[in-house]
Amino acid sequence: MSDGSAAAVLLESTVEVRQIKTISAIRSLGRRWTPILRAKRAVEAMIANRRAFILVPKLDSIDALAAELAACGVRATRVPDTDIDVKAMRERLDLTQEQFALHYGLDLDAVRNWEHGRRKPDTAARSYLRAIYNDPAAVEAALWLQPEPPSGR
């Protein structure tokens, strides 16, 4: 097996539950250094929810994994790990750096560092920024919506 790098993969069932070749799917993931128990749990989660995410430790080729899993009734899609152009996103929203930070509960210095290339957003920040990019109004509403006070007894 050639050296590969870790990658997040989305697993989706493409056939009825009874037709999924679970053991073969687990083995395909195991050949890429995924612990068998983790592979089993991911396949079980996919069966229960029709989709699941898993970190594959050594993915040499998404096409090879996708072909193996397709034969098992499973679609495999690599989750993109792309950098986000924070400045372009902020400008698209027509916000200053300070407004962007305030709107979305971000640290102003972090926004400045991301835009000037001094730092890159960590995994959690990239996920949050991706959510903002895809639906800025919903993220802002979810962030600033006041929760209902707990009912007293």
Side-chain angles (χ1 to χ4, degrees):
M1 179 179 147
S2 65
D3 243 358
S5 57
V9 175
L10 170 63
L11 305 175
E12 298 174 285
S13 60
T14 59
V15 296
E16 289 185 36
V17 173
R18 292 183 309 277
Q19 296 174 316
I20 297 172
K21 298 177 183 170
T22 57
I23 301 298
S24 296
I26 293 166
R27 285 184 178 158
S28 292
L29 293 165
R31 281 192 286 280
R32 280 127 183 121
W33 294 84
T34 304
I36 296 301
L37 184 57
R38 185 182 310 155
K40 177 184 176 287
R41 287 183 177 154
V43 171
E44 288 171 344
M46 180 204 60
I47 289 169
N49 304 310
R50 299 213 39 95
R51 60 188 291 182
F53 292 91
I54 186 168
L55 181 65
V56 178
K58 291 190 178 184
L59 183 63
D60 53 344
S61 166
I62 186 63
D63 294 332
L65 177 61
E68 283 181 36
L69 290 177
C72 300
V74 177
R75 179 183 309 118
T77 308
R78 186 178 187 145
V79 177
D81 187 26
T82 56
D83 287 334
I84 295 182
D85 187 340
V86 177
K87 183 176 181 178
M89 178 173 50
R90 177 183 59 76
E91 289 176 343
R92 184 189 79 177
L93 296 170
D94 197 28
L95 297 171
T96 66
Q97 288 178 336
E98 185 173 337
Q99 290 169 332
F100 183 74
L102 287 171
H103 271 77
Y104 298 106
L106 297 165
D107 182 72
L108 179 58
D109 287 336
V111 171
R112 288 180 176 150
N113 285 330
W114 296 336
E115 287 193 12
H116 294 283
R118 292 187 290 263
R119 294 222 169 107
K120 289 188 173 195
D122 64 16
T123 303
R126 276 195 315 271
S127 295
Y128 184 54
L129 290 168
R130 197 173 295 117
I132 294 169
Y133 180 85
N134 288 320
D135 198 345
V139 171
E140 188 175 343
L143 185 63
W144 295 108
L145 197 67
Q146 294 298 316
E148 297 276 330
S151 58
R153 290 188 171 178

